[in-house]
């Protein structure tokens, strides 16, 4: 039997995938602008939170929780939306703490069915929390609340996991002070 091997055009095959490919061009271009900008790390995290809340309709509260170095405590960092009483959350508590403990994205499509949940507002119906890793540890999280039940899809998870990779360098080692 004769086997023929077709060599494909390498340039096409190895093209860099588009950044935040599954987002609208408005979101993509604003995020790239922020990431390339001159603001410091926490300033960029604030700009990202503001942008996501403003441009993505089902993201009603967007915030970053940062792990207090050397502890299992998450502290509220930059956020956009209503202020929350949950400014410190231990690993294991609530949706945020469970995501930190599991070291993986945690989506709750109906918060009324989740026992281990810390409520910020009765308007919130679903939530996604995506850990930010450094050297294998959870150094922070992206937390998003939606006023819609079943708001989050696989696309949200993929997008936010990509964003988590890109925000890792923005979390200072001594943050929050
Ligand atoms: N609902 C979260 C607490 C943080 S707020 O959503 C801002 C939780 O259960 O961990």
């Amino acid at each position: 039997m004769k086997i023929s091997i077709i060599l494909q055009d390498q340039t096409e095959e190895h093209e860099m995938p588009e950044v935040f490919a599954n987002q609208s061009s408005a979101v993509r271009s604003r995020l790239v602008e922020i990431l390339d900008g001159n603001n410091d790390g926490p300033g960029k995290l604030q700009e990202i939170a503001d942008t996501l809340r403003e441009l993505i309709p089902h993201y009603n509260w967007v915030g970053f929780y940062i792990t207090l170095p050397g502890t299992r405590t998450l502290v509220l960092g930059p956020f956009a939306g209503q202020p929350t009483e949950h400014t410190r959350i231990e690993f294991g508590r609530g949706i945020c703490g469970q995501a930190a403990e599991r070291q993986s994205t945690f989506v709750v499509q109906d918060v009324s069915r989740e026992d281990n949940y810390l409520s910020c507002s009765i308007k919130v119906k679903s939530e996604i929390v995506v850990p930010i890793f450094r050297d294998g540890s959870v150094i922070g999280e992206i937390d998003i609340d939606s006023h819609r039940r079943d708001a989050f899809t696989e696309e949200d998870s993929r997008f936010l996991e990509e964003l988590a990779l890109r925000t890792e360098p923005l979390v200072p080692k001594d943050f929050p002070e």
Side-chain angles (χ1 to χ4, degrees):
M1 192 168 78
K2 228 177 152 190
I3 299 172
S4 57
I5 297 168
I6 301 165
L7 288 174
Q8 291 189 328
D9 178 352
Q10 298 286 310
T11 51
E12 199 173 307
E13 212 184 346
H14 294 285
E15 233 173 48
M16 278 285 287
E18 213 173 345
V19 180
F20 307 126
N22 64 11
Q23 280 299 325
S24 67
S25 58
V27 172
R28 280 207 317 263
S29 57
R30 183 70 188 114
L31 288 178
V32 168
E33 192 178 86
I34 293 167
L35 292 168
D36 287 349
N38 293 323
N39 218 336
D40 62 4
K44 288 183 180 180
L45 294 180
Q46 183 65 60
E47 289 181 303
I48 291 168
D50 292 337
T51 296
L52 297 188
R53 180 163 183 266
E54 195 183 322
L55 297 182
I56 304 180
H58 61 292
Y59 290 11
N60 298 108
W61 189 95
V62 179
F64 291 91
Y65 279 92
I66 309 297
T67 309
L68 207 53
T71 74
R72 286 165 46 87
T73 303
L74 297 157
V75 178
L76 183 62
F79 69 94
Q82 292 293 308
T84 172
E85 64 187 280
H86 302 297
T87 54
R88 280 180 172 247
I89 300 175
E90 296 303 316
F91 280 29
R93 286 198 66 225
I95 295 171
C96 292
Q98 290 181 81
E101 189 113 278
R102 296 173 183 195
Q103 304 202 322
S104 65
T105 298
F106 191 16
V107 182
V108 176
Q109 299 288 17
D110 180 354
V111 295
S112 73
R113 298 168 72 92
E114 172 59 47
D115 290 337
N116 190 357
Y117 168 64
L118 304 168
S119 173
C120 291
S121 151
I122 53 160
K123 287 189 186 161
V124 175
K125 299 287 192 295
S126 58
E127 179 162 353
I128 183 170
V129 179
V130 176
I132 302 170
F133 295 96
R134 181 179 293 153
D135 301 329
S137 299
V138 175
I139 58 151
E141 296 180 333
I142 306 170
D143 177 18
I144 300 183
D145 290 340
S146 180
H147 294 171
R148 264 183 32 210
R149 198 164 280 135
D150 297 313
F152 301 107
T153 65
E154 265 302 308
E155 299 224 321
D156 290 295
S157 301
R158 277 204 302 276
F159 161 59
L160 294 168
E161 284 165 6
E162 183 182 353
L163 185 63
L165 288 175
R166 291 174 192 276
T167 50
E168 178 274 321
L170 307 181
V171 180
K173 291 206 166 66
D174 55 358
F175 186 88
E177 285 174 341

